[in-house]
Amino acid sequence: FYLTPPQVNSILKANEYSFKVPEFDGKNVSSVLGFDSNQLPANAPIEDRRSAATCLQTRGMLLGVFDGHAGCACAQAVSERLFYYIAVSLLPHETLLEIENAVESGRALLPILQWHKHPNDYFSKEASKLYFNSLRTYWQELIDLNSGETTDVREALINAFKRLDNDISLEAQVGDPNSFLNYLVLRVAFSGSTACVAHVDGVDLHVANTGDSRAMLGVQEEDGSWSAVNLSYDHNAQNEHEVERVKMEHPKSEEKSLVKQDRLLGLLMPFRAFGDVKFKWSIELQKRVVESGPDQLNENEYTKFIPPNYYTPPYLTAEPEVIHHKLRPQDKFLVLATDGLWETMHRQDVARIVGEYLTGVHHQQPIAVGGYKVTLGQMHGLLTERRARISSVFEDQNAATHLIRHAVGNNEFGTVDHERLSKMLSLPEELARMYRDDITIIVVQFNSHVIGAY
C-alpha cells in the first residue's frame, strides 16, 4: 500500500502543535522561545499523552509527556491533573489562602495555569468536579502545613507526583455513586502511566521523571556541532541503580522473583509509574475493590489476576527522580519524548537532527556505508538523494514532526527513505504496534540571549 508524499505529510502533521512565547515591547523576556510538539499513534487508541502550560501565579512553564500502559486512562488523568498539583505545590501561602477563600465564598478563582493544547488533546469534563475536590483537599492541607518557607521546586515536584498518585489510588478505593465515574476512577487506577515533566523558570530547568520516557538537552559546541546531555534516567531493568533500589525495598527471599525477563515481577517494563494498583495494593484490597466494582471491571481479565510472587507490596512507586540543570547560552533546546522515540534513535542523532533543523545549518557527515558493498551507481544515487534532501529538509514547520519523520523513515544510511516511511505509516492498526510504539515528542527551544543575560 503506497502513500504519496502529501498523504505521508497529512498523517505526520495530524497532531502537531506549536507555541511561541509572546514578546513584550519587541523583547522576549522568557528563557523559552517556544515549543513544538507532535504525536504518532501505534496503538488504537493512542496510549501516550502530552501537556504544556504556563504557570500564571508563579513564574515558569511546565511541559510533559506521559506513556500509558494497559490502556490510556491513567495517562489521560495524569496529563490533565499533574500540572495543577505541581502549580499548587509551588504557590506561596497567601495565594493558597486567596484561592481557598474564593472557593469558600463562591467567587471566581484566580487562574492557575494557561494550557497550550492541541484540539485533539482531550479533557474529561465528567470527572472535573471529582478532580477539583481532590486538588482542593491537597491545597487545604498545604495551608494547614504552612511553614512560612518558600517552596523548593524539587520538593514541589516530588510532592505533587506522590500526592496525585495517592489520590488516584484513594479515589478508586472510595468509588463514586455515579456508575460512569466509578468505572472511570477504577480504569485510571488499574491502568498505568510514566511521566517525564520539565519545569523551566529563567535559567533553572528541573526535570522530574517517573518511568522510561526521557528528557535530553541539545547543546551546541563551539565548532557548531551538536551534543546530547541526558536529563533523566530510565527506571527499568537496564538501570542497575533502579534494580538495586527495588531489591533493597523487599526481603532477600524475593531477590530472584523481583525482576524476571527484565520486567518487574516478570510483568511490568517501567519500575516506577502512576496508577498500576495491581503492583501497589494488598491482595485483599484488590479483591475487595474488584468484587464491589462495576461489572465491566469484573469482565476485564487484567484486574482479576494477581501478579506472581506477590508478597510484600507495594512493588511500584510514582516518586520521580528530579534533576536540576542551570541553563547556559550553548543549551539550545530540550527534547521530552516517550520511549517510542528512544527505541528507534540514539540521543546523539536526535541532538544533531533537531539542532540542524533549528539552525538551518546542515553539517555534512561523510556518507557512511558501513560494511555494505556499494557500486558507483548506488553512491551517485545516495549523493543525489542527499542533495535533494538538503533542499527539502526544512519542509516540516515543526521540529517534533521532523524528528518523527526520521524516527520512522530512516534507512541504514541515516537518511529518510520515502518508501520506508510510506510502508511504516500504512501498516494496519493491529500490525503497527509490532513495529513501533506510540511516539510523543516535545521540543522546547531556549532563548540564548535571555539566558546569557542572566
Side-chain angles (χ1 to χ4, degrees):
F1 186 57
Y2 187 76
L3 302 172
T4 64
Q7 287 172 317
V8 163
N9 282 347
S10 74
I11 294 173
L12 287 179
K13 294 171 189 283
N15 298 310
E16 67 180 14
Y17 178 84
S18 289
F19 175 75
K20 293 277 169 281
V21 174
E23 297 192 359
F24 301 96
D25 304 332
K27 276 209 283 291
N28 190 323
V29 290
S30 168
S31 56
V32 174
L33 282 170
F35 69 86
D36 290 339
S37 80
N38 200 350
Q39 293 187 298
L40 183 67
N43 292 294
I46 185 170
E47 293 184 323
D48 279 7
R49 292 292 183 273
R50 58 181 165 179
S51 293
T54 302
C55 300
L56 296 173
Q57 304 303 326
T58 53
R59 299 203 321 255
M61 196 167 192
L62 285 164
L63 306 111
V65 294
F66 312 93
D67 185 351
H69 45 264
C72 58
C74 188
Q76 178 61 43
V78 174
S79 73
E80 291 181 39
R81 304 177 70 183
L82 181 58
F83 288 6
Y84 281 114
Y85 280 71
I86 294 170
V88 162
S89 308
L90 287 166
L91 289 178
H93 187 245
E94 300 72 66
T95 315
L96 286 172
L97 280 173
E98 270 176 60
I99 292 175
E100 177 55 29
N101 291 336
V103 178
E104 273 290 300
S105 57
R107 289 199 315 275
L109 278 191
L110 289 171
I112 297 177
L113 295 173
Q114 177 195 354
W115 290 93
H116 310 298
K117 287 207 292 271
H118 185 280
N120 296 356
D121 294 342
Y122 163 80
F123 256 44
S124 53
K125 303 277 180 292
E126 304 83 3
S128 57
K129 195 167 169 16
L130 169 79
Y131 290 172
F132 178 79
N133 290 338
S134 294
L135 182 68
R136 185 182 178 190
T137 306
Y138 178 42
W139 81 54
Q140 287 170 337
E141 284 176 31
L142 288 174
I143 291 171
D144 294 342
L145 287 169
N146 172 36
S147 56
E149 291 155 32
T150 49
T151 317
D152 170 57
V153 177
R154 184 193 148 76
E155 260 174 63
L157 288 163
I158 293 172
N159 294 342
F161 273 61
K162 285 162 71 171
R163 176 60 182 235
L164 173 56
D165 191 51
N166 200 41
D167 283 355
I168 286 171
S169 172
L170 207 59
E171 288 157 4
Q173 290 171 50
V174 172
D176 196 282
N178 171 329
S179 61
F180 173 83
L181 276 183
N182 195 30
Y183 186 44
L184 176 82
V185 294
L186 289 163
R187 274 189 23 234
V188 168
F190 276 93
S191 58
S193 177
T194 70
C196 187
V197 171
H199 179 266
V200 193
D201 178 7
V203 288
D204 288 303
L205 166 61
H206 287 83
V207 172
N209 182 50
T210 286
D212 52 10
S213 292
R214 265 184 223 171
M216 181 213 90
L217 198 61
V219 181
Q220 191 165 29
E221 304 299 343
E222 282 180 3
D223 65 357
S225 66
W226 294 94
S227 64
V229 177
N230 271 352
L231 287 182
S232 67
Y233 299 105
D234 294 356
H235 299 133
N236 58 22
Q238 271 58 61
N239 179 341
E240 289 168 23
H241 296 290
E242 197 58 12
V243 175
E244 277 314 301
R245 176 189 68 79
V246 171
K247 287 182 175 169
M248 293 285 289
E249 291 173 4
H250 298 277
K252 198 125 179 74
S253 55
E254 293 184 55
E255 202 162 8
K256 289 206 165 47
S257 58
L258 279 170
V259 179
K260 278 193 157 161
Q261 286 150 337
D262 281 352
R263 290 167 180 255
L264 189 64
L265 297 181
L267 296 169
L268 200 62
M269 286 288 266
F271 284 18
R272 302 189 195 196
F274 282 91
D276 280 321
V277 292
K278 305 268 343 147
F279 297 85
K280 292 172 181 169
W281 289 356
S282 69
I283 293 176
E284 298 74 51
L285 180 57
Q286 290 189 39
K287 285 190 170 145
R288 183 170 67 76
V289 170
V290 172
E291 278 161 18
S292 63
D295 295 339
Q296 301 109 301
L297 195 69
N298 270 310
E299 289 153 22
N300 183 338
E301 286 308 305
Y302 179 71
T303 56
K304 278 212 196 109
F305 87 99
I306 300 293
N309 304 302
Y310 198 77
Y311 308 112
T312 53
Y315 287 91
L316 193 62
T317 176
E319 180 166 340
E321 198 170 1
V322 179
I323 289 180
H324 172 240
H325 175 83
K326 275 251 187 283
L327 289 170
R328 311 157 298 172
Q330 64 264 43
D331 299 332
K332 300 297 183 187
F333 60 89
L334 173 73
V335 176
L336 297 169
T338 53
D339 62 349
L341 173 71
W342 311 110
E343 282 166 5
T344 59
M345 290 187 86
H346 190 273
R347 63 174 185 271
Q348 202 46 58
D349 294 328
V350 170
R352 181 180 54 79
I353 288 165
V354 175
E356 290 177 355
Y357 171 84
L358 292 175
T359 55
V361 178
H362 228 60
H363 280 276
Q364 291 294 14
Q365 314 280 349
I367 283 194
V369 290
Y372 295 96
K373 282 198 165 55
V374 178
T375 66
L376 270 175
Q378 286 169 315
M379 195 57 164
H380 177 70
L382 278 171
L383 289 166
T384 328
E385 186 187 324
R386 169 192 249 181
R387 201 160 76 222
R389 195 171 82 249
I390 294 167
S391 56
S392 73
V393 71
F394 302 120
E395 62 188 35
D396 290 317
Q397 303 301 302
N398 178 304
T401 308
H402 188 65
L403 203 44
I404 290 176
R405 189 184 296 276
H406 278 270
V408 180
N410 265 4
N411 60 15
E412 60 271 34
F413 304 117
T415 63
V416 175
D417 176 344
H418 178 75
E419 201 170 317
R420 179 181 164 84
L421 199 52
S422 165
K423 278 182 187 155
M424 290 296 279
L425 293 179
S426 61
L427 287 169
E429 277 170 2
E430 60 278 10
L431 274 180
R433 187 61 193 88
M434 293 164 69
Y435 288 90
R436 57 179 179 81
D437 197 353
D438 295 329
I439 300 176
T440 298
I441 300 170
I442 300 177
V443 179
V444 187
Q445 203 178 346
F446 295 122
N447 188 336
S448 307
H449 301 298
V450 170
I451 290 167
Y454 271 88

